[in-house]
Amino acid sequence: MPRPLIATIDIAALRSNLALAKARAPHSRTWAVVKANAYGHGLERGMRGFAAADGLGLIELDAAARLRELGWKKRILLLEGFFDASDPQLLAEHQLDTVIHCEEQLLMLEQARLQTKIDVHLKLNSGMNRLGFTPAKYRAAYERLRAIPAVDHISFVTHFANAEDPDNPVLPVQEQLRRFREATRDLPGEQSMANSATDLLHPGSAADWIRPGIMLYGATPGGQSAEQFGLRPAMSLNSEIIGVQHIVAGDAVGYGSAFVATGPMTIGVVACGYADGYPRHAPSGTPVIVDGVKTRMVGRVSMDMITVDLTPVAKPCVGSKVTLWGAGLPIDEVANAAGTVGYELMCGLASRVKVVEVS
Protein backbone atom coordinates (compact mmCIF):
# COMPACT_ATOMS: atom_id res chain seq x y z
CA MET A 1 0.00 0.00 0.00
CA PRO A 2 1.22 3.55 -0.64
CA ARG A 3 2.04 5.88 2.22
CA PRO A 4 -1.23 7.27 3.63
CA LEU A 5 -0.60 10.92 2.76
CA ILE A 6 -2.91 12.34 0.12
CA ALA A 7 -3.54 15.82 -1.23
CA THR A 8 -7.05 16.20 -2.62
CA ILE A 9 -7.75 18.93 -5.17
CA ASP A 10 -11.37 20.00 -5.47
CA ILE A 11 -12.07 21.23 -9.01
CA ALA A 12 -15.57 22.37 -8.04
CA ALA A 13 -14.04 24.58 -5.34
CA LEU A 14 -11.76 26.19 -7.93
CA ARG A 15 -14.81 26.94 -10.08
CA SER A 16 -16.74 28.30 -7.11
CA ASN A 17 -13.93 30.60 -6.03
CA LEU A 18 -13.51 31.95 -9.55
CA ALA A 19 -17.26 32.63 -9.73
CA LEU A 20 -17.02 34.57 -6.47
CA ALA A 21 -14.07 36.61 -7.77
CA LYS A 22 -15.99 37.46 -10.93
CA ALA A 23 -19.16 38.31 -9.01
CA ARG A 24 -17.27 40.88 -6.93
CA ALA A 25 -16.14 42.62 -10.12
CA PRO A 26 -19.09 42.09 -12.46
CA HIS A 27 -17.97 44.66 -15.01
CA SER A 28 -14.40 43.38 -15.27
CA ARG A 29 -12.77 40.54 -17.12
CA THR A 30 -10.62 38.09 -15.22
CA TRP A 31 -7.06 36.85 -15.46
CA ALA A 32 -6.97 33.73 -13.27
CA VAL A 33 -3.43 33.41 -11.94
CA VAL A 34 -1.95 29.91 -12.35
CA LYS A 35 1.74 30.58 -11.69
CA ALA A 36 3.80 28.14 -9.62
CA ASN A 37 1.94 25.12 -11.04
CA ALA A 38 -1.38 26.76 -10.18
CA TYR A 39 -0.20 27.44 -6.62
CA GLY A 40 0.70 23.77 -6.23
CA HIS A 41 -2.68 22.51 -7.44
CA GLY A 42 -1.48 21.45 -10.89
CA LEU A 43 -1.47 23.48 -14.10
CA GLU A 44 -3.93 21.24 -15.95
CA ARG A 45 -6.31 21.22 -12.97
CA GLY A 46 -6.11 24.98 -12.77
CA MET A 47 -6.90 25.28 -16.47
CA ARG A 48 -10.01 23.14 -16.04
CA GLY A 49 -11.06 24.77 -12.79
CA PHE A 50 -10.75 28.23 -14.31
CA ALA A 51 -12.27 27.46 -17.69
CA ALA A 52 -14.69 30.37 -17.19
CA ALA A 53 -11.85 32.90 -16.84
CA ASP A 54 -11.16 35.30 -19.69
CA GLY A 55 -7.45 34.55 -19.52
CA LEU A 56 -4.78 32.86 -17.45
CA GLY A 57 -1.80 34.64 -15.91
CA LEU A 58 1.53 33.09 -14.96
CA ILE A 59 5.26 33.80 -15.13
CA GLU A 60 6.70 30.64 -16.70
CA LEU A 61 7.02 30.70 -20.49
CA ASP A 62 7.27 26.92 -20.73
CA ALA A 63 4.09 26.54 -18.68
CA ALA A 64 2.33 29.02 -20.97
CA ALA A 65 3.34 26.90 -23.97
CA ARG A 66 2.06 23.85 -22.11
CA LEU A 67 -1.34 25.52 -21.63
CA ARG A 68 -1.56 25.91 -25.40
CA GLU A 69 -0.67 22.23 -25.82
CA LEU A 70 -3.40 21.33 -23.34
CA GLY A 71 -5.92 23.21 -25.47
CA TRP A 72 -6.33 26.60 -23.78
CA LYS A 73 -7.53 28.91 -26.58
CA LYS A 74 -8.12 32.12 -24.64
CA ARG A 75 -5.54 34.69 -23.66
CA ILE A 76 -2.43 33.99 -21.57
CA LEU A 77 -0.48 36.73 -19.83
CA LEU A 78 3.16 36.50 -18.76
CA LEU A 79 3.10 38.50 -15.53
CA GLU A 80 6.88 39.08 -15.38
CA GLY A 81 7.28 39.40 -19.11
CA PHE A 82 10.19 37.66 -20.82
CA PHE A 83 13.86 37.19 -20.00
CA ASP A 84 15.83 36.55 -23.19
CA ALA A 85 16.11 38.10 -26.64
CA SER A 86 14.79 34.88 -28.21
CA ASP A 87 11.60 34.92 -26.13
CA PRO A 88 9.53 37.44 -28.15
CA GLN A 89 9.45 34.98 -31.06
CA LEU A 90 7.93 32.41 -28.72
CA LEU A 91 5.37 34.94 -27.53
CA ALA A 92 4.27 35.48 -31.10
CA GLU A 93 4.30 31.75 -31.86
CA HIS A 94 2.07 30.90 -28.90
CA GLN A 95 -0.02 34.09 -29.03
CA LEU A 96 0.94 35.22 -25.54
CA ASP A 97 0.37 38.60 -23.92
CA THR A 98 3.34 39.97 -22.03
CA VAL A 99 4.04 42.48 -19.31
CA ILE A 100 6.78 44.98 -20.13
CA HIS A 101 8.38 46.30 -16.95
CA CYS A 102 11.92 47.46 -17.79
CA GLU A 103 14.18 49.11 -20.33
CA GLU A 104 15.84 45.81 -21.20
CA GLN A 105 12.55 44.21 -22.22
CA LEU A 106 11.67 47.23 -24.29
CA LEU A 107 14.97 46.99 -26.14
CA MET A 108 14.60 43.25 -26.80
CA LEU A 109 11.11 43.82 -28.16
CA GLU A 110 12.31 46.66 -30.39
CA GLN A 111 15.03 44.44 -31.81
CA ALA A 112 12.88 41.33 -32.26
CA ARG A 113 11.39 42.29 -35.65
CA LEU A 114 8.33 40.12 -35.11
CA GLN A 115 6.07 39.23 -38.03
CA THR A 116 3.05 38.62 -35.77
CA LYS A 117 1.56 41.29 -33.53
CA ILE A 118 1.38 40.76 -29.77
CA ASP A 119 -0.48 42.52 -26.96
CA VAL A 120 1.61 44.09 -24.21
CA HIS A 121 0.86 45.30 -20.69
CA LEU A 122 2.98 48.22 -19.56
CA LYS A 123 3.72 47.99 -15.85
CA LEU A 124 3.87 51.02 -13.59
CA ASN A 125 5.96 50.99 -10.43
CA SER A 126 3.38 52.77 -8.29
CA GLY A 127 5.37 52.35 -5.09
CA MET A 128 6.00 48.66 -4.51
CA ASN A 129 9.48 49.07 -6.01
CA ARG A 130 9.82 45.62 -7.47
CA LEU A 131 9.01 45.73 -11.19
CA GLY A 132 7.76 48.50 -13.42
CA PHE A 133 8.61 51.89 -14.88
CA THR A 134 8.50 54.84 -12.52
CA PRO A 135 5.81 57.45 -13.19
CA ALA A 136 8.49 59.78 -14.58
CA LYS A 137 9.50 57.24 -17.25
CA TYR A 138 6.14 55.64 -17.91
CA ARG A 139 4.90 57.75 -20.82
CA ALA A 140 8.23 57.56 -22.62
CA ALA A 141 8.04 53.77 -22.37
CA TYR A 142 4.51 53.90 -23.75
CA GLU A 143 5.63 55.96 -26.76
CA ARG A 144 8.42 53.49 -27.50
CA LEU A 145 5.96 50.62 -27.40
CA ARG A 146 3.57 52.48 -29.65
CA ALA A 147 6.37 52.84 -32.22
CA ILE A 148 7.04 49.09 -32.45
CA PRO A 149 5.14 47.70 -35.48
CA ALA A 150 4.62 44.30 -33.84
CA VAL A 151 2.90 45.75 -30.76
CA ASP A 152 -0.86 45.60 -31.06
CA HIS A 153 -2.87 46.62 -27.98
CA ILE A 154 -1.17 48.27 -25.00
CA SER A 155 -2.74 47.81 -21.57
CA PHE A 156 -1.70 49.33 -18.26
CA VAL A 157 -0.97 47.40 -15.06
CA THR A 158 0.32 47.92 -11.56
CA HIS A 159 0.45 45.84 -8.38
CA PHE A 160 -0.63 46.82 -4.89
CA ALA A 161 1.73 46.31 -1.97
CA ASN A 162 -0.85 46.62 0.83
CA ALA A 163 -4.32 45.94 -0.52
CA GLU A 164 -5.11 43.81 2.53
CA ASP A 165 -4.06 46.74 4.75
CA PRO A 166 -5.83 49.81 3.33
CA ASP A 167 -4.59 52.15 6.06
CA ASN A 168 -0.93 51.16 5.75
CA PRO A 169 0.98 54.25 6.90
CA VAL A 170 3.85 53.78 4.43
CA LEU A 171 1.98 53.08 1.20
CA PRO A 172 -1.83 53.05 1.35
CA VAL A 173 -3.83 51.66 -1.55
CA GLN A 174 -5.30 55.04 -2.36
CA GLU A 175 -1.85 56.52 -2.93
CA GLN A 176 -0.93 53.79 -5.38
CA LEU A 177 -4.26 54.30 -7.10
CA ARG A 178 -3.59 58.03 -7.38
CA ARG A 179 -0.17 57.44 -8.92
CA PHE A 180 -1.55 54.92 -11.38
CA ARG A 181 -4.41 57.14 -12.47
CA GLU A 182 -2.11 60.09 -12.90
CA ALA A 183 0.44 58.11 -14.92
CA THR A 184 -2.22 56.65 -17.24
CA ARG A 185 -4.36 59.77 -17.58
CA ASP A 186 -5.55 60.18 -21.19
CA LEU A 187 -3.67 57.08 -22.38
CA PRO A 188 -5.92 54.77 -24.44
CA GLY A 189 -5.97 51.17 -23.26
CA GLU A 190 -7.35 48.75 -20.73
CA GLN A 191 -6.29 48.78 -17.08
CA SER A 192 -5.57 46.03 -14.57
CA MET A 193 -4.80 46.62 -10.90
CA ALA A 194 -6.84 44.30 -8.70
CA ASN A 195 -5.26 41.25 -7.07
CA SER A 196 -7.19 39.00 -4.67
CA ALA A 197 -7.07 41.45 -1.78
CA THR A 198 -8.24 44.29 -4.02
CA ASP A 199 -11.09 42.22 -5.43
CA LEU A 200 -12.24 41.22 -1.95
CA LEU A 201 -11.70 44.51 -0.11
CA HIS A 202 -11.65 47.33 -2.72
CA PRO A 203 -14.24 46.50 -5.40
CA GLY A 204 -14.16 50.08 -6.69
CA SER A 205 -10.61 49.46 -7.95
CA ALA A 206 -11.48 46.60 -10.28
CA ALA A 207 -10.96 48.47 -13.60
CA ASP A 208 -11.14 46.53 -16.90
CA TRP A 209 -9.42 43.37 -15.64
CA ILE A 210 -8.87 41.72 -12.27
CA ARG A 211 -6.00 39.33 -11.47
CA PRO A 212 -7.12 37.06 -8.61
CA GLY A 213 -4.63 34.53 -7.31
CA ILE A 214 -4.72 33.15 -3.77
CA MET A 215 -8.49 33.56 -3.39
CA LEU A 216 -9.07 31.20 -6.32
CA TYR A 217 -7.52 28.40 -4.28
CA GLY A 218 -9.64 29.01 -1.21
CA ALA A 219 -7.26 30.97 0.99
CA THR A 220 -7.38 34.61 1.99
CA PRO A 221 -4.88 37.42 1.46
CA GLY A 222 -6.11 39.02 4.69
CA GLY A 223 -8.95 41.15 5.97
CA GLN A 224 -11.23 38.24 6.89
CA SER A 225 -11.09 34.48 6.89
CA ALA A 226 -11.59 32.61 3.63
CA GLU A 227 -14.84 31.18 4.97
CA GLN A 228 -16.13 34.66 5.82
CA PHE A 229 -15.45 35.71 2.25
CA GLY A 230 -17.33 32.64 0.98
CA LEU A 231 -14.24 30.91 -0.40
CA ARG A 232 -13.92 27.13 -0.47
CA PRO A 233 -10.63 25.28 0.19
CA ALA A 234 -9.40 23.71 -3.03
CA MET A 235 -6.59 21.66 -1.46
CA SER A 236 -6.91 19.29 1.47
CA LEU A 237 -3.91 17.46 2.91
CA ASN A 238 -4.83 14.29 4.79
CA SER A 239 -2.88 11.47 6.38
CA GLU A 240 -3.15 8.85 9.10
CA ILE A 241 -1.67 8.00 12.45
CA ILE A 242 1.10 5.43 11.88
CA GLY A 243 2.26 5.02 15.49
CA VAL A 244 1.08 5.69 19.05
CA GLN A 245 3.14 6.31 22.20
CA HIS A 246 1.97 6.73 25.80
CA ILE A 247 4.22 9.04 27.81
CA VAL A 248 4.32 10.54 31.29
CA ALA A 249 5.47 13.79 32.85
CA GLY A 250 9.07 14.52 31.98
CA ASP A 251 9.14 12.46 28.78
CA ALA A 252 10.29 14.34 25.70
CA VAL A 253 9.11 14.00 22.10
CA GLY A 254 11.13 14.19 18.89
CA TYR A 255 14.44 15.69 17.83
CA GLY A 256 16.09 18.00 20.32
CA SER A 257 13.62 16.91 23.00
CA ALA A 258 11.99 20.26 22.30
CA PHE A 259 8.65 19.24 23.77
CA VAL A 260 8.47 17.82 27.31
CA ALA A 261 5.22 16.43 28.71
CA THR A 262 3.90 17.93 31.94
CA GLY A 263 1.64 14.95 32.57
CA PRO A 264 0.39 11.73 31.00
CA MET A 265 -0.16 12.06 27.24
CA THR A 266 -0.92 9.96 24.20
CA ILE A 267 1.28 10.90 21.26
CA GLY A 268 0.43 10.08 17.66
CA VAL A 269 2.89 9.90 14.80
CA VAL A 270 1.54 11.26 11.50
CA ALA A 271 2.87 10.27 8.09
CA CYS A 272 3.81 13.77 6.93
CA GLY A 273 6.95 15.86 7.29
CA TYR A 274 8.87 18.72 5.81
CA ALA A 275 9.91 16.58 2.82
CA ASP A 276 6.19 16.51 1.97
CA GLY A 277 5.78 20.26 2.23
CA TYR A 278 4.68 20.58 5.84
CA PRO A 279 6.45 23.65 7.29
CA ARG A 280 9.52 22.58 9.27
CA HIS A 281 9.31 25.72 11.40
CA ALA A 282 5.76 24.94 12.58
CA PRO A 283 5.85 25.11 16.41
CA SER A 284 4.18 22.97 19.03
CA GLY A 285 0.55 24.05 19.14
CA THR A 286 0.05 24.18 15.36
CA PRO A 287 -3.51 22.88 14.83
CA VAL A 288 -4.30 19.47 13.36
CA ILE A 289 -7.47 17.38 13.27
CA VAL A 290 -7.50 13.70 14.27
CA ASP A 291 -10.69 11.65 13.87
CA GLY A 292 -12.67 14.88 13.69
CA VAL A 293 -11.16 16.32 16.89
CA LYS A 294 -9.06 19.45 16.72
CA THR A 295 -5.78 19.00 18.56
CA ARG A 296 -2.18 20.18 18.22
CA MET A 297 1.19 19.24 16.90
CA VAL A 298 3.93 18.75 19.54
CA GLY A 299 7.70 18.59 19.11
CA ARG A 300 9.71 19.32 16.01
CA VAL A 301 8.65 18.56 12.46
CA SER A 302 10.96 15.93 10.98
CA MET A 303 11.52 14.92 7.38
CA ASP A 304 8.79 12.29 7.17
CA MET A 305 6.77 12.60 10.38
CA ILE A 306 5.10 14.96 12.79
CA THR A 307 3.92 14.13 16.29
CA VAL A 308 0.56 15.20 17.63
CA ASP A 309 -1.26 15.24 20.95
CA LEU A 310 -3.90 12.50 20.90
CA THR A 311 -5.01 13.06 24.48
CA PRO A 312 -8.28 14.82 23.46
CA VAL A 313 -9.16 12.08 20.94
CA ALA A 314 -11.57 9.44 22.24
CA LYS A 315 -10.15 6.24 20.71
CA PRO A 316 -7.00 7.04 18.76
CA CYS A 317 -5.19 4.23 17.00
CA VAL A 318 -2.96 3.43 14.10
CA GLY A 319 -5.07 4.33 11.08
CA SER A 320 -6.88 7.27 12.73
CA LYS A 321 -7.62 9.88 10.09
CA VAL A 322 -5.68 13.14 10.14
CA THR A 323 -6.44 16.47 8.47
CA LEU A 324 -3.37 18.68 8.16
CA TRP A 325 -5.25 21.39 6.30
CA GLY A 326 -8.39 21.66 4.22
CA ALA A 327 -12.05 21.11 5.11
CA GLY A 328 -12.51 21.96 8.79
CA LEU A 329 -8.98 23.33 9.15
CA PRO A 330 -8.24 26.34 6.92
CA ILE A 331 -4.77 26.39 5.41
CA ASP A 332 -4.42 29.99 6.61
CA GLU A 333 -4.88 28.87 10.22
CA VAL A 334 -2.04 26.37 9.89
CA ALA A 335 0.12 28.91 8.08
CA ASN A 336 -0.49 31.59 10.70
CA ALA A 337 0.52 29.19 13.46
CA ALA A 338 3.70 28.41 11.54
CA GLY A 339 4.51 32.09 10.95
CA THR A 340 4.01 31.95 7.21
CA VAL A 341 1.23 32.31 4.62
CA GLY A 342 -1.09 29.85 2.93
CA TYR A 343 0.59 30.56 -0.41
CA GLU A 344 3.82 28.92 0.80
CA LEU A 345 2.09 25.78 2.04
CA MET A 346 0.21 25.31 -1.24
CA CYS A 347 3.25 25.92 -3.41
CA GLY A 348 5.45 23.76 -1.21
CA LEU A 349 3.50 20.53 -1.69
CA ALA A 350 6.15 17.95 -2.56
CA SER A 351 6.10 15.79 -5.67
CA ARG A 352 6.16 12.59 -3.59
CA VAL A 353 2.72 13.35 -2.17
CA LYS A 354 -0.04 11.45 -3.93
CA VAL A 355 -2.59 13.82 -5.46
CA VAL A 356 -6.19 12.93 -6.23
CA GLU A 357 -8.96 15.17 -7.46
CA VAL A 358 -12.65 15.47 -6.91
CA SER A 359 -15.17 17.53 -8.82
Side-chain angles (χ1 to χ4, degrees):
M1 292 291 292
R3 189 160 169 258
L5 178 64
I6 298 175
T8 302
I9 308 300
D10 187 340
I11 304 298
L14 296 176
R15 296 190 186 107
S16 174
N17 295 334
L18 173 64
L20 188 147
K22 292 165 67 73
R24 296 184 75 93
H27 304 296
S28 304
R29 285 180 284 174
T30 303
W31 296 109
V33 179
V34 294
K35 63 183 179 178
N37 196 30
Y39 287 46
H41 292 67
L43 188 67
E44 190 270 344
R45 295 185 193 95
M47 185 188 80
R48 287 190 286 116
F50 307 138
D54 300 286
L56 300 177
L58 71 175
I59 66 170
E60 306 91 351
L61 180 52
D62 57 342
R66 177 63 179 151
L67 286 171
R68 291 297 187 217
E69 292 173 1
L70 289 167
W72 183 263
K73 303 296 185 184
K74 292 187 271 189
R75 295 172 71 178
I76 300 174
L77 172 62
L78 293 173
L79 296 165
E80 287 183 0
F82 51 90
F83 309 98
D84 186 83
S86 63
D87 289 344
Q89 293 293 342
L90 295 174
L91 304 187
E93 177 184 340
H94 295 293
Q95 296 180 295
L96 306 178
D97 290 32
T98 183
V99 162
I100 296 291
H101 63 74
C102 64
E103 169 74 23
E104 291 77 9
Q105 288 178 335
L106 260 179
L107 184 59
M108 285 189 279
L109 196 55
E110 288 172 332
Q111 295 174 346
R113 303 292 188 263
L114 300 179
Q115 301 304 307
T116 302
K117 288 181 176 290
I118 62 172
D119 292 338
V120 301
H121 302 248
L122 184 61
K123 187 160 193 175
L124 176 73
N125 174 8
S126 58
M128 196 169 190
N129 290 314
R130 295 195 313 186
L131 303 179
F133 292 90
T134 63
K137 296 181 178 180
Y138 197 69
R139 287 180 177 253
Y142 170 81
E143 293 301 332
R144 285 177 64 181
L145 282 174
R146 191 70 281 163
I148 300 174
V151 169
D152 198 356
H153 300 98
I154 302 174
S155 299
F156 308 108
V157 301
T158 196
H159 193 58
F160 292 120
N162 303 301
E164 75 287 356
D165 179 18
D167 299 319
N168 186 278
V170 177
L171 187 62
V173 171
Q174 291 304 315
E175 174 57 20
Q176 285 193 267
L177 270 172
R178 185 196 66 78
R179 295 176 188 179
F180 182 76
R181 288 167 176 162
E182 176 63 23
T184 59
R185 181 169 46 85
D186 301 327
L187 293 181
E190 295 181 328
Q191 299 184 351
S192 172
M193 298 173 283
N195 55 9
S196 290
T198 315
D199 187 47
L200 291 168
L201 300 170
H202 309 276
S205 305
D208 300 293
W209 288 80
I210 57 173
R211 304 189 308 272
I214 190 64
M215 68 179 294
L216 299 181
Y217 304 95
T220 176
Q224 297 181 57
S225 71
E227 184 178 13
Q228 288 172 319
F229 281 126
L231 300 168
R232 293 169 51 186
M235 177 191 290
S236 294
L237 186 63
N238 300 96
S239 189
E240 295 180 2
I241 298 296
I242 60 171
V244 176
Q245 299 289 338
H246 301 281
I247 64 175
V248 298
D251 284 347
V253 178
Y255 286 120
S257 299
F259 177 84
V260 179
T262 59
M265 294 181 67
T266 303
I267 298 296
V269 181
V270 181
C272 182
Y274 60 76
D276 302 298
Y278 198 85
R280 184 181 182 276
H281 49 279
S284 292
T286 299
V288 61
I289 293 176
V290 180
D291 284 346
V293 177
K294 193 171 187 179
T295 183
R296 57 178 178 145
M297 192 196 76
V298 294
R300 290 183 182 171
V301 176
S302 50
M303 182 179 288
D304 310 305
M305 292 172 276
I306 63 171
T307 42
V308 300
D309 180 6
L310 294 181
T311 309
V313 182
K315 295 181 179 179
C317 61
V318 170
S320 287
K321 304 303 181 184
V322 178
T323 298
L324 297 157
W325 62 70
L329 183 57
I331 195 170
D332 296 312
E333 186 176 341
V334 179
N336 289 340
T340 185
V341 290
Y343 306 71
E344 183 177 14
L345 303 190
M346 292 177 186
C347 295
L349 187 70
S351 59
R352 76 175 185 173
V353 178
K354 180 182 179 180
V355 178
V356 299
E357 64 178 64
V358 296
S359 58

